[in-house]
Amino acid sequence: MSTDPKRGTLAYTMATWIFLLHVTGHECADASIRSACEALRAGEDPETLGEALAEQLRARLKGEEAEDAQALAAELFGTATVLSGLGEDRDQALRQARRYQFQKGLPWLACVVDRFPDGHVGPHWVLVESLEEQVRCLDPYPWDDLDEEFEQPLIEFLVKWELGGLAGLRFV
């Protein structure tokens, strides 16, 4: 199994998000993505199958920006079922994110700015599971041998998210 970090990469993070939506009954409109999710759910080689799902998404993404994530999610689920952004400012975004967490109980994507292990600082995507005093971000690619799930204090997450433009993507 691979031990290459996947954290921050939109295709891997979206693949996990789409798979989680799939297993909770929210299937996307694209037959090849649905098929990849079903194969992954029932598969005997999850890393290879997860990589295949991520590769399909990577091929369809125009880039790593919030607009790219929104466009692909709208294509796969419809514009009425995915929303980008959670608010104009930190307080409004936090309220909306907590409301979403309470009402839906589903993870959502957020773009944050962080320092990477090699020292550079830049935006990357995380899959937010829980937004409380500690923010829990899921492993963006749970099918490899690298556990990349992490928690951080709420204020730290909010600063990083604000630096990322409060970009987010959620299923409604």
Side-chain angles (χ1 to χ4, degrees), residues 72-123:
L72 180 55
E75 177 186 329
L76 296 176
F77 294 100
T79 56
T81 58
V82 288
L83 293 176
S84 63
L86 287 153
E88 298 294 318
D89 61 43
R90 183 191 297 186
D91 292 334
Q92 183 183 30
L94 178 59
R95 279 193 306 277
Q96 290 294 330
R98 284 187 165 155
R99 180 176 296 129
Y100 176 76
Q101 178 182 305
F102 178 75
Q103 291 175 340
K104 294 292 184 181
L106 295 170
W108 54 280
L109 296 171
C111 184
V112 298
V113 172
D114 214 342
R115 181 177 305 279
F116 291 88
D118 67 2
H120 86 277
V121 174

Side-chain angles (χ1 to χ4, degrees), residues 16-31:
T16 302
W17 182 60
I18 288 169
F19 177 76
L20 291 172
L21 290 174
H22 180 84
V23 299
T24 57
H26 307 289
E27 296 180 348
C28 75
D30 185 274

Side-chain angles (χ1 to χ4, degrees), residues 122-144:
H124 69 99
W125 290 90
V126 295
L127 191 56
V128 180
E129 178 183 29
S130 173
L131 191 72
E132 296 171 14
E133 288 308 308
Q134 290 287 317
V135 177
R136 185 174 34 257
C137 295
L138 296 172
D139 186 340
Y141 187 75
W143 304 290
D144 63 9

Side-chain angles (χ1 to χ4, degrees), residues 16-71:
T16 302
W17 182 60
I18 288 169
F19 177 76
L20 291 172
L21 290 174
H22 180 84
V23 299
T24 57
H26 307 289
E27 296 180 348
C28 75
D30 185 274
S32 65
I33 300 292
R34 278 195 322 272
S35 177
C37 287
E38 276 305 311
L40 185 55
R41 188 177 197 177
E44 296 184 17
D45 185 4
E47 184 173 11
T48 300
L49 295 169
E51 187 65 46
L53 175 58
E55 186 54 43
Q56 282 192 53
L57 298 173
R58 188 178 299 108
R60 296 169 87 162
L61 282 165
K62 306 281 190 254
E64 294 276 319
E65 303 299 320
E67 298 80 23
D68 304 315
Q70 170 66 26

